[in-house]
């Protein structure tokens, strides 16, 4: 049975098996060839894009979208999917090359610089993980994907002004998180070293020769002098008269 375009779209809307067979026989092969030639003959990628185009057509028909030329409509959808794929692939390749360049620069640095770079990456990664989901996504879209404010607003389902406000608050929150990590690290570095425990006998009493105050023992100060609040006084021995 041959269907015209209007009958075909109406059949898809009603989920008519005849319309599904007409789609597979009349439109899918053409769209497949169109896609296959534009994705460097990548069979799996072509299958995915054609499947997405078919699903988009069925969804559009179900939502009563006006489609006068189904074949052209599907090719347009397929072309957009192809462009999206290659843009995403190029973005990933750029990020990989950027990471490789940074790794090469770090490899040429001294060990201390490598350690600092590692700590900075860890701090930024931890700070990003601690942000609310909306803030983290907005920052990743802006500074990793290089997305425009307009696109970020679309992804957030908000106006461009609202998206700019989200980005501003996200940057502030990230800065606060980084400052917090720096303070925690400084406090950790400044923590006092534990003192060596004083030797004890089996009954818990101080061992012979052990001082209750290691600092006093190290400085050789007498207990009586410290209690009086003044330095010890040493009286020189007088020479014995002959």
């Amino acid at each position: 049975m041959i269907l015209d375009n209007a009958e075909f779209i109406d059949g898809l809307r009603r989920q008519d098996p005849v319309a599904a067979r007409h789609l597979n026989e009349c439109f899918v092969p053409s769209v497949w060839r169109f896609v296959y030639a534009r994705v460097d003959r990548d069979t799996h990628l072509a299958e995915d894009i054609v499947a997405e185009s078919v699903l988009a057509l069925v969804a559009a028909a179900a939502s009563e979208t006006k489609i006068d030329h189904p074949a052209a409509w599907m090719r347009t959808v397929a072309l957009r999917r192809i462009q999206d794929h290659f843009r995403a692939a190029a973005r990933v390749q750029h990020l990989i090359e950027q990471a490789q360049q940074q790794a090469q620069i770090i490899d040429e640095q001294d060990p201390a610089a490598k350690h600092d770079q590692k700590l900075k990456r860890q701090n930024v990664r931890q700070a990003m993980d601690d942000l609310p989901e909306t803030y983290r996504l907005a920052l990743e879209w802006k500074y990793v994907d290089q997305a425009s404010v307009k696109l970020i607003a679309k992804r957030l389902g908000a106006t461009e002004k609202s998206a700019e406000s989200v980005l501003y608050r996200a940057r502030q929150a990230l800065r606060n998180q980084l400052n917090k990590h720096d303070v925690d690290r400084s406090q950790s570095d400044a923590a006092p070293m534990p003192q060596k425990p004083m030797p004890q006998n089996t009954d818990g009493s101080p061992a012979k020769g052990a001082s209750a105050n290691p600092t006093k023992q190290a400085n050789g100060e007498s207990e009586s002098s410290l209690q009086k609040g003044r330095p010890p006084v040493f009286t020189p021995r007088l020479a014995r008269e002959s």
Side-chain angles (χ1 to χ4, degrees):
M1 181 178 179
I2 303 300
L3 302 176
D4 61 24
N5 290 339
E7 292 172 338
F8 168 62
I9 296 299
D10 182 64
L12 284 182
R13 186 177 298 115
R14 293 183 288 103
Q15 300 181 357
D16 187 349
V18 175
R21 185 168 58 250
H22 184 77
L23 171 62
N24 287 325
E25 293 177 355
C26 298
F27 296 116
V28 169
S30 175
V31 176
W32 161 262
R33 290 189 294 270
F34 175 84
V35 174
Y36 185 68
R38 287 165 174 77
V39 294
D40 298 328
R41 300 180 180 273
D42 187 331
T43 303
H44 296 295
L45 178 58
E47 289 175 352
D48 290 342
I49 292 176
V50 171
E52 290 179 5
S53 303
V54 170
L55 291 175
L57 178 66
V58 173
S63 63
E64 299 186 358
T65 301
K66 184 179 180 181
I67 301 175
D68 296 327
H69 304 285
W73 192 93
M74 290 180 67
R75 284 196 297 270
T76 300
V77 172
L79 184 59
R80 291 175 181 169
R81 297 291 189 275
I82 294 170
Q83 292 171 346
D84 290 343
H85 166 76
F86 283 114
R87 274 197 297 266
R91 182 170 64 250
V92 170
Q93 182 63 31
H94 170 72
L95 294 175
I96 292 174
E97 293 175 354
Q98 188 178 40
Q100 289 174 342
Q101 292 174 358
Q102 292 177 349
Q104 183 177 1
I105 293 173
I106 293 174
D107 287 341
E108 297 173 355
Q109 296 175 345
D110 59 84
K114 291 182 182 179
H115 181 67
D116 289 342
Q117 288 287 346
K118 182 179 179 180
L119 288 178
K120 288 179 181 179
R121 288 197 301 268
Q122 290 176 345
N123 288 342
V124 172
R125 184 163 54 247
Q126 183 62 47
M128 288 288 289
D129 290 342
D130 292 341
L131 291 178
E133 183 74 6
T134 302
Y135 289 177
R136 183 179 60 79
L137 288 175
L139 290 176
E140 288 181 356
W141 291 336
K142 178 65 176 177
Y143 298 105
V144 178
D145 295 345
Q146 302 293 315
S148 64
V149 175
K150 183 177 181 180
L151 179 57
I152 293 173
K154 184 177 179 181
R155 291 177 176 178
L156 294 175
T159 64
E160 291 187 31
K161 187 173 181 180
S162 296
E164 289 177 351
S165 179
V166 169
L167 284 169
Y168 174 79
R169 293 196 300 270
R171 285 190 292 265
Q172 290 289 107
L174 178 61
R175 188 177 297 112
N176 292 337
Q177 287 291 344
L178 290 173
N179 291 337
K180 178 182 177 183
H181 285 295
D182 289 340
V183 170
D184 292 343
R185 194 171 121 199
S186 299
Q187 291 177 347
S188 176
D189 293 341
M193 295 294 292
Q195 292 185 355
K196 185 177 179 180
M198 182 177 62
Q200 293 181 344
N201 296 320
T202 55
D203 60 355
S205 61
K208 184 178 181 180
S211 172
N213 192 326
T215 305
K216 296 177 183 178
Q217 186 180 32
N219 293 337
E221 296 175 358
S222 65
E223 188 70 18
S224 59
S225 299
L226 290 174
Q227 290 176 352
K228 293 178 180 179
R230 60 173 182 264
V233 177
F234 298 96
T235 304
R237 292 185 178 180
L238 297 176
R240 180 179 298 179
E241 296 180 358
S242 57

